[in-house]
Amino acid sequence: MSTGGGRIRRAGEALFGRRARLRWVHLVLGGALLMPYYLLSVVALGALNPNQGHARQVLLQLLGLFTSLPMAAVTALVPTVRGLEGAAARALCAVARPEELATGPSRSWAARWRTSLFFVLHLFAGGVVAGMTLAGAPFSVVLMFGLIGSEDLTGYWTDRFPDWVFTGPALGLAVLLLIVGSNAGCGALLARWAPKLLGPTPEERLAAAERRATVLAQRNRLARELHDSVGHALSAVGIQASAAARVLRTDPDFAEEALRAIEETARGAVAELDTVLGLLREEEDGAAGPAGPTLAGLDDLLRQLARTGVTVDAELAPGLGALPAEVSREAYRIVQEGLTNVLRHAGPAPAGLRVGLDAGRLEIELTNPLGPARPSRPGGGRGLRGIGERATALRGGSTVGPDEDGTTWRLAVWLPLGGTGG
């Protein structure tokens, strides 16, 4: 009983529910849009066939319905029609996935022809339902209230069916059900075809996917810059503040130097943050200038690390200042993140850094010792992933992990100097 009751309830919703009422409005709107084309067709056909009998005039009016559709199809090739039809279908057609409907104008002939086909389908189905509503609803009322007797309508068929079939109320109810059923069927047809004909074309879907990929790449780039620049500064400030707090009473001079280092690091972090936020304005400003420090600033980075207790044995090849700007900036960020990882996870341990040029590529190698007392700090993983993304973007590569004997952590990155991958 519950299954049967659920089916009856769903059928009632489909025929008389809110969705059915919205679709009826959508179809009547299509019928109203059809009227100018229909009247023009009827007038043209009447002028070509004057002085016709009543039956011929009815036939010409029916023919006018079909000759009006090609005119509607031509006018629907206007690009803005897709946006208007999509808005109407989204509001009234009760489409299952309204987000699939395009919101903008048609930008290709494929999209225009698909919109034209849906426009013709909308107008034809709307004309049928609107005509049945305008003519059939009053007629059913007349039948149901007995203003026309069954003998006026049945004739031959009264001897072959029960008498109650041809009573006024029964016929009136049948006409009403025919109107409601036509509305439900035509509305469901339009709702099914709207996403296919008013949705984006394959070319538009590809362009949208490319735009999303571009936005995602920009977000990832911004995330890497924030992580590497601001994250490094905060890590350095945290360790310097901890060291200053430990020796504040026993070694005031060291504490004072640590506080000055914190101030300098904070100023640098503010400048770095301003540079990173400038990336958000690249599209509006038209062209992006140099963003962030390059390998020329490695000396300042190493001095900053020395204040936190991390001594770096650096071997820097000559000519790093003449590298392409993009490669130099990315290489600086890679070194910065590698040293930050030493600071976070190895503490004040000595580190080895080698930056060299070999066979048309830049090679970076960073090592630090591992041991049982290696501290574990939260927040790992993003930096190494960011290093890999930076290297991949420049058509390079990276390896990271402990060496064979498990005593040294090694980060190796290589970046070609001849071009970038975008």
Side-chain angles (χ1 to χ4, degrees), residues 151-204:
E151 65 277 0
D152 299 325
L153 302 171
T154 57
Y156 171 80
W157 300 103
T158 54
D159 296 334
R160 290 165 174 77
F161 291 92
D163 294 338
W164 63 267
V165 174
F166 293 102
T167 60
L171 289 175
L173 182 60
V175 172
L176 281 179
L177 290 177
L178 179 61
I179 297 172
V180 172
S182 300
N183 173 67
C186 293
L189 178 66
L190 291 179
R192 179 178 181 180
W193 282 97
K196 299 178 181 179
L197 298 179
L198 296 180
T201 62
E203 293 79 9
E204 290 172 329

Coordinates of all heavy atoms in Angstrom, one line a residue, residues 151-204:
E151 N -25.6 14.2 -26.4 CA -26.1 13.8 -27.7 C -25.6 14.8 -28.8 O -25.5 14.4 -30.0 CB -27.6 13.8 -27.7 CG -28.3 15.2 -27.5 CD -28.4 15.5 -26.0 OE1 -27.9 14.7 -25.2 OE2 -28.9 16.6 -25.7
D152 N -25.2 15.9 -28.4 CA -24.6 16.9 -29.4 C -23.2 16.5 -29.8 O -22.7 17.1 -30.8 CB -24.6 18.3 -28.8 CG -26.1 18.8 -28.4 OD1 -27.0 18.4 -29.2 OD2 -26.2 19.5 -27.4
L153 N -22.6 15.7 -29.0 CA -21.2 15.4 -29.3 C -20.9 14.0 -29.7 O -19.9 13.7 -30.3 CB -20.3 15.7 -28.0 CG -20.4 17.1 -27.5 CD1 -19.8 17.2 -26.1 CD2 -19.8 18.1 -28.5
T154 N -21.7 13.0 -29.3 CA -21.4 11.6 -29.5 C -21.9 11.0 -30.7 O -21.2 10.4 -31.5 CB -21.9 10.9 -28.2 OG1 -23.3 11.1 -28.1 CG2 -21.2 11.4 -27.0
G155 N -23.2 11.0 -30.9 CA -23.8 10.4 -32.1 C -23.5 8.9 -32.2 O -24.0 8.1 -31.5
Y156 N -22.7 8.6 -33.2 CA -22.4 7.2 -33.6 C -21.9 6.4 -32.4 O -22.2 5.2 -32.3 CB -21.5 7.2 -34.8 CG -20.9 5.8 -35.1 CD1 -21.6 4.9 -35.9 CD2 -19.6 5.5 -34.7 CE1 -21.1 3.7 -36.2 CE2 -19.1 4.2 -35.0 CZ -19.9 3.3 -35.7 OH -19.3 2.1 -36.0
W157 N -21.1 7.0 -31.5 CA -20.3 6.3 -30.5 C -21.2 5.9 -29.3 O -20.8 5.1 -28.5 CB -19.1 7.1 -30.1 CG -18.2 7.4 -31.2 CD1 -18.0 8.5 -31.9 CD2 -17.3 6.4 -31.8 NE1 -17.1 8.4 -32.8 CE2 -16.6 7.1 -32.8 CE3 -17.0 5.0 -31.5 CZ2 -15.6 6.4 -33.6 CZ3 -16.1 4.4 -32.3 CH2 -15.4 5.1 -33.3
T158 N -22.3 6.5 -29.1 CA -23.1 6.3 -27.9 C -23.6 4.8 -27.9 O -23.9 4.3 -26.8 CB -24.3 7.2 -27.9 OG1 -25.1 7.1 -29.1 CG2 -23.9 8.7 -27.7
D159 N -23.8 4.2 -29.0 CA -24.3 2.8 -29.0 C -23.2 1.8 -28.7 O -23.4 0.6 -28.5 CB -24.9 2.4 -30.4 CG -26.1 3.3 -30.6 OD1 -26.8 3.7 -29.6 OD2 -26.4 3.5 -31.8
R160 N -21.9 2.2 -28.6 CA -20.8 1.3 -28.5 C -20.0 1.4 -27.2 O -19.1 0.7 -26.9 CB -19.8 1.5 -29.7 CG -20.4 1.0 -31.0 CD -19.7 1.5 -32.2 NE -20.2 0.9 -33.4 CZ -21.3 1.3 -34.0 NH1 -22.1 2.2 -33.5 NH2 -21.7 0.7 -35.1
F161 N -20.4 2.4 -26.3 CA -19.8 2.6 -25.0 C -20.8 2.8 -24.0 O -22.0 3.2 -24.3 CB -18.8 3.8 -25.1 CG -17.6 3.6 -25.9 CD1 -17.6 3.9 -27.3 CD2 -16.5 3.0 -25.4 CE1 -16.5 3.7 -28.0 CE2 -15.3 2.8 -26.1 CZ -15.3 3.2 -27.5
P162 N -20.5 2.6 -22.7 CA -21.5 2.9 -21.7 C -22.0 4.3 -21.7 O -21.2 5.2 -22.1 CB -20.7 2.5 -20.4 CG -19.6 1.6 -20.8 CD -19.3 2.0 -22.2
D163 N -23.1 4.5 -21.2 CA -23.7 5.9 -21.3 C -22.9 6.9 -20.5 O -22.8 8.1 -20.9 CB -25.2 5.9 -20.7 CG -26.1 5.0 -21.7 OD1 -25.7 4.9 -22.9 OD2 -27.1 4.6 -21.2
W164 N -22.3 6.5 -19.3 CA -21.6 7.4 -18.5 C -20.3 8.0 -19.1 O -19.9 9.0 -18.8 CB -21.2 6.8 -17.1 CG -20.3 5.6 -17.3 CD1 -20.6 4.3 -17.4 CD2 -18.8 5.7 -17.3 NE1 -19.5 3.5 -17.5 CE2 -18.4 4.4 -17.4 CE3 -17.9 6.8 -17.2 CZ2 -17.0 4.1 -17.5 CZ3 -16.6 6.4 -17.2 CH2 -16.1 5.1 -17.4
V165 N -19.8 7.3 -20.2 CA -18.6 7.7 -20.8 C -18.9 9.0 -21.5 O -18.0 9.9 -21.6 CB -18.1 6.7 -21.8 CG1 -16.9 7.2 -22.6 CG2 -17.7 5.4 -21.0
F166 N -20.0 9.2 -22.0 CA -20.3 10.4 -22.8 C -21.2 11.4 -22.1 O -21.8 12.3 -22.7 CB -21.0 10.0 -24.2 CG -20.1 9.2 -25.0 CD1 -20.2 7.8 -25.1 CD2 -19.1 9.8 -25.8 CE1 -19.4 7.1 -26.0 CE2 -18.3 9.1 -26.6 CZ -18.4 7.8 -26.7
T167 N -21.2 11.4 -20.8 CA -21.8 12.4 -20.1 C -20.9 13.7 -20.0 O -19.7 13.6 -20.2 CB -22.1 12.0 -18.6 OG1 -20.9 11.7 -18.0 CG2 -23.0 10.8 -18.6
G168 N -21.5 14.8 -19.8 CA -20.8 16.1 -19.9 C -19.6 16.1 -18.9 O -18.5 16.4 -19.2
P169 N -19.8 15.8 -17.6 CA -18.7 15.8 -16.6 C -17.6 14.8 -17.0 O -16.4 15.2 -16.8 CB -19.4 15.3 -15.3 CG -20.8 15.8 -15.5 CD -21.1 15.5 -16.9
A170 N -17.9 13.7 -17.5 CA -16.8 12.7 -17.9 C -16.0 13.3 -19.0 O -14.8 13.2 -19.0 CB -17.4 11.4 -18.2
L171 N -16.7 13.8 -20.0 CA -15.9 14.4 -21.2 C -15.1 15.6 -20.7 O -14.0 15.8 -21.2 CB -16.9 14.7 -22.3 CG -17.5 13.6 -23.0 CD1 -18.6 14.1 -24.0 CD2 -16.5 12.7 -23.7
G172 N -15.7 16.4 -19.9 CA -15.0 17.6 -19.4 C -13.8 17.2 -18.6 O -12.7 17.8 -18.8
L173 N -13.9 16.2 -17.8 CA -12.7 15.7 -17.0 C -11.7 15.2 -17.9 O -10.5 15.4 -17.7 CB -13.2 14.7 -16.0 CG -12.1 14.1 -15.1 CD1 -11.4 15.2 -14.2 CD2 -12.7 13.0 -14.2
A174 N -12.1 14.4 -19.0 CA -11.1 13.9 -19.9 C -10.3 15.0 -20.6 O -9.1 14.9 -20.9 CB -11.9 13.0 -20.9
V175 N -11.0 16.1 -21.0 CA -10.4 17.2 -21.7 C -9.3 17.8 -20.7 O -8.2 18.2 -21.1 CB -11.4 18.2 -22.2 CG1 -10.7 19.5 -22.7 CG2 -12.2 17.6 -23.3
L176 N -9.7 18.0 -19.5 CA -8.8 18.6 -18.5 C -7.6 17.7 -18.3 O -6.4 18.2 -18.2 CB -9.5 18.8 -17.1 CG -10.4 20.0 -17.0 CD1 -11.1 20.0 -15.6 CD2 -9.7 21.3 -17.3
L177 N -7.8 16.4 -18.2 CA -6.7 15.5 -18.0 C -5.8 15.5 -19.3 O -4.5 15.4 -19.1 CB -7.2 14.0 -17.8 CG -7.8 13.8 -16.4 CD1 -8.3 12.4 -16.3 CD2 -6.8 14.1 -15.3
L178 N -6.4 15.7 -20.4 CA -5.6 15.8 -21.6 C -4.7 17.0 -21.6 O -3.5 16.9 -22.0 CB -6.5 15.8 -22.9 CG -5.8 15.9 -24.2 CD1 -4.8 14.7 -24.5 CD2 -6.8 16.1 -25.3
I179 N -5.2 18.1 -21.1 CA -4.5 19.3 -21.0 C -3.3 19.2 -20.0 O -2.2 19.5 -20.3 CB -5.4 20.5 -20.7 CG1 -6.4 20.8 -21.7 CG2 -4.6 21.8 -20.4 CD1 -7.5 21.8 -21.4
V180 N -3.7 18.6 -18.9 CA -2.7 18.5 -17.8 C -1.6 17.5 -18.2 O -0.4 17.7 -18.0 CB -3.3 18.0 -16.5 CG1 -2.3 17.6 -15.5 CG2 -4.2 19.1 -16.0
G181 N -2.0 16.4 -18.9 CA -1.0 15.4 -19.4 C -0.1 16.0 -20.4 O 1.1 15.7 -20.5
S182 N -0.6 16.8 -21.3 CA 0.2 17.5 -22.4 C 1.2 18.4 -21.7 O 2.3 18.5 -22.2 CB -0.7 18.2 -23.4 OG -1.6 17.3 -24.0
N183 N 0.7 19.2 -20.7 CA 1.6 20.1 -20.0 C 2.8 19.3 -19.4 O 3.9 19.7 -19.5 CB 0.9 20.9 -19.0 CG 1.8 21.7 -18.1 OD1 2.4 22.7 -18.6 ND2 1.9 21.4 -16.9
A184 N 2.4 18.2 -18.7 CA 3.5 17.4 -18.0 C 4.5 16.8 -19.0 O 5.7 16.8 -18.8 CB 2.8 16.3 -17.2
G185 N 3.9 16.3 -20.1 CA 4.8 15.7 -21.1 C 5.7 16.7 -21.8 O 6.9 16.5 -21.9
C186 N 5.2 17.8 -22.2 CA 6.0 18.8 -22.9 C 7.0 19.5 -22.0 O 8.1 19.8 -22.3 CB 5.0 19.9 -23.5 SG 4.0 19.3 -24.9
G187 N 6.5 19.7 -20.7 CA 7.4 20.3 -19.7 C 8.6 19.3 -19.4 O 9.8 19.8 -19.3
A188 N 8.3 18.0 -19.3 CA 9.4 17.1 -19.1 C 10.4 17.0 -20.3 O 11.6 16.9 -20.1 CB 8.8 15.7 -18.8
L189 N 9.8 17.1 -21.5 CA 10.7 17.1 -22.7 C 11.6 18.3 -22.7 O 12.8 18.1 -23.0 CB 9.8 17.1 -23.9 CG 10.5 17.1 -25.3 CD1 11.3 15.8 -25.5 CD2 9.5 17.3 -26.4
L190 N 11.1 19.5 -22.4 CA 12.0 20.7 -22.4 C 13.0 20.6 -21.3 O 14.2 21.0 -21.5 CB 11.1 21.9 -22.2 CG 10.2 22.3 -23.4 CD1 9.4 23.5 -23.1 CD2 11.0 22.5 -24.7
A191 N 12.6 20.1 -20.1 CA 13.5 20.0 -19.0 C 14.7 19.0 -19.3 O 15.8 19.1 -18.9 CB 12.8 19.5 -17.7
R192 N 14.4 18.0 -20.1 CA 15.4 17.0 -20.4 C 16.4 17.5 -21.5 O 17.6 17.2 -21.4 CB 14.7 15.7 -21.0 CG 15.7 14.6 -21.4 CD 14.9 13.4 -21.9 NE 15.9 12.3 -22.3 CZ 15.5 11.1 -22.7 NH1 14.2 10.8 -22.8 NH2 16.4 10.2 -23.0
W193 N 15.9 18.3 -22.4 CA 16.7 18.8 -23.5 C 17.4 20.1 -23.2 O 18.3 20.5 -23.9 CB 15.9 18.9 -24.8 CG 15.7 17.5 -25.4 CD1 14.6 16.8 -25.3 CD2 16.6 16.8 -26.2 NE1 14.8 15.6 -26.0 CE2 16.0 15.6 -26.6 CE3 17.9 17.1 -26.7 CZ2 16.6 14.7 -27.4 CZ3 18.6 16.1 -27.5 CH2 17.9 15.0 -27.8
A194 N 16.9 20.8 -22.2 CA 17.5 22.1 -21.9 C 19.0 22.0 -21.6 O 19.8 22.8 -22.2 CB 16.8 22.8 -20.7
P195 N 19.5 21.1 -20.7 CA 21.0 21.1 -20.5 C 21.8 20.7 -21.7 O 22.9 21.2 -21.9 CB 21.1 20.0 -19.4 CG 19.8 19.9 -18.7 CD 18.8 20.2 -19.8
K196 N 21.2 19.9 -22.6 CA 21.9 19.4 -23.8 C 22.0 20.5 -24.8 O 23.0 20.6 -25.5 CB 21.2 18.2 -24.4 CG 21.2 17.0 -23.4 CD 20.5 15.8 -24.0 CE 20.4 14.6 -23.1 NZ 19.7 13.5 -23.6
L197 N 20.9 21.3 -25.0 CA 20.9 22.3 -26.0 C 21.3 23.7 -25.5 O 21.8 24.5 -26.3 CB 19.5 22.4 -26.6 CG 19.0 21.1 -27.3 CD1 17.6 21.3 -27.9 CD2 20.0 20.7 -28.4
L198 N 21.1 24.0 -24.3 CA 21.4 25.3 -23.7 C 22.7 25.3 -22.9 O 23.1 26.3 -22.4 CB 20.3 25.9 -22.9 CG 19.0 26.2 -23.6 CD1 17.9 26.7 -22.6 CD2 19.2 27.2 -24.7
G199 N 23.2 24.1 -22.7 CA 24.5 24.0 -21.9 C 25.7 24.4 -22.8 O 25.6 24.6 -24.0
P200 N 26.9 24.5 -22.2 CA 28.0 24.9 -22.9 C 28.4 23.8 -23.9 O 28.2 22.6 -23.7 CB 29.1 25.1 -21.8 CG 28.6 24.3 -20.7 CD 27.1 24.3 -20.8
T201 N 29.0 24.3 -25.0 CA 29.5 23.4 -26.1 C 30.8 22.7 -25.6 O 31.4 23.2 -24.6 CB 29.8 24.1 -27.4 OG1 30.8 25.1 -27.2 CG2 28.5 24.8 -27.9
P202 N 31.3 21.6 -26.2 CA 32.6 21.1 -25.8 C 33.7 22.1 -25.9 O 34.6 22.0 -25.0 CB 32.8 19.9 -26.9 CG 31.4 19.5 -27.3 CD 30.6 20.8 -27.2
E203 N 33.7 23.0 -26.8 CA 34.8 24.0 -26.9 C 34.7 24.9 -25.7 O 35.7 25.3 -25.1 CB 34.6 24.8 -28.2 CG 35.0 24.0 -29.4 CD 33.8 23.2 -29.9 OE1 32.7 23.3 -29.3 OE2 34.0 22.3 -30.8
E204 N 33.5 25.3 -25.3 CA 33.3 26.2 -24.1 C 33.7 25.4 -22.8 O 34.2 26.0 -21.9 CB 31.9 26.6 -24.0 CG 31.5 27.6 -25.1 CD 30.0 28.0 -25.2 OE1 29.2 27.1 -24.8 OE2 29.7 29.1 -25.5

